[in-house]
Amino acid sequence: MKAAVLNQYGTAAPVSVQEVAVPELADTEVLVKVKAAGVNPVDNLIKNGNIWPVAPYSLPLIMGNELAGEVEAVGSSVTDYLPGDRVMTRLPLEKIGAFAQYVAVDARWLCKTPNYLSDVEAAAVPLTALTAMEAFTLLELKQGQSLFISGGSGGFGAMAIPLAKAFGYPVYTSGSAENRDRSWPWGLTCTLTTRLKTTANSSTTWTG
């Protein structure tokens, strides 16, 4: 199969498409035929070696953290998935490799793709959604409390804002006035926009 492989760390290090073996299945794993994969800033951090102290990957490394695809085969212990099922996943930190034609992943890390999402849409969900859910858990938010998400018009905000709204939290964010209209339909309570005045004593104006 073809896969995007990193052979050395570094900002100038290339990621090249290479022929590699289709992964073999363990009893608890599912072989997924990848239809789409999400590209995230963390992929660059991995390539550059910035997170090596946290995740010291051995090289060569197949890149990519999240994907959507179709079940090709299942291990002998897997009962929740069948060949042909549409699935999506944020691959476990210790075993990434979404930028490939096939991925073997433990069934616990999979979920079935909702019918209302295309494969491309589904591939963009897992990493940001799980990041948002983990943040909500760590914050121990209670009903009635409000949530501020800095720079909410980006990829994380697009996922975190509607999730927070679904849990009943009033959501505030900051960003440029140009992005306010784009993020408002996601369920914001208020947007704080910044505007820099180009005067001798520059200042920042906050508007609701």
Side-chain angles (χ1 to χ4, degrees):
M1 69 173 185
K2 288 183 170 59
V5 179
L6 179 70
N7 289 292
Q8 66 181 61
Y9 290 114
T11 55
V15 175
S16 58
V17 176
Q18 301 177 20
E19 287 287 343
V20 299
V22 175
E24 296 183 1
L25 277 182
D27 291 344
T28 60
E29 289 185 327
V30 173
L31 184 66
V32 178
K33 183 176 183 179
V34 179
K35 297 297 186 70
V39 180
N40 297 277
V42 70
D43 297 310
N44 260 338
L45 294 176
I46 292 171
K47 183 184 78 72
N48 296 344
N50 299 120
I51 66 169
W52 190 89
V54 178
Y57 295 111
S58 298
L59 301 176
L61 172 69
I62 299 176
M63 297 287 290
N65 286 271
E66 61 180 348
L67 63 91
E70 183 178 295
V71 173
E72 184 82 3
V74 299
S76 59
S77 298
V78 176
T79 58
D80 293 334
Y81 299 97
L82 295 171
D85 285 346
R86 296 179 65 227
V87 293
M88 52 197 269
T89 180
R90 190 270 191 253
L91 294 173
L93 186 64
E94 68 274 9
K95 192 180 179 183
I96 64 172
F99 299 164
Q101 290 180 298
Y102 293 93
V103 169
V105 57
D106 193 289
R108 296 174 300 172
W109 288 84
L110 289 172
C111 70
K112 292 183 179 179
T113 302
N115 290 332
Y116 58 81
L117 290 179
S118 69
D119 291 325
V120 171
E121 291 168 335
V125 170
L127 195 148
T128 49
L130 287 172
T131 301
M133 293 300 294
E134 185 174 3
F136 297 163
T137 300
L138 292 172
L139 288 170
E140 298 181 345
L141 291 171
K142 297 176 176 61
Q143 290 300 317
Q145 291 184 314
S146 299
L147 181 65
F148 175 74
I149 298 174
S150 178
S153 62
F156 175 74
M159 187 64 63
I161 291 170
L163 279 175
K165 193 68 176 180
F167 284 113
Y169 306 125
V171 184
Y172 298 77
T173 190
S174 62
S176 67
E178 290 77 10
N179 287 326
R180 179 169 53 186
D181 292 341
R182 184 165 71 92
S183 57
W184 191 258
W186 299 339
L188 288 169
T189 299
C190 180
T191 301
L192 304 174
T193 59
T194 58
R195 182 172 65 251
L196 292 178
K197 295 179 180 179
T198 54
T199 60
N201 297 314
S202 295
S203 63
T204 302
T205 301
W206 295 86
T207 61

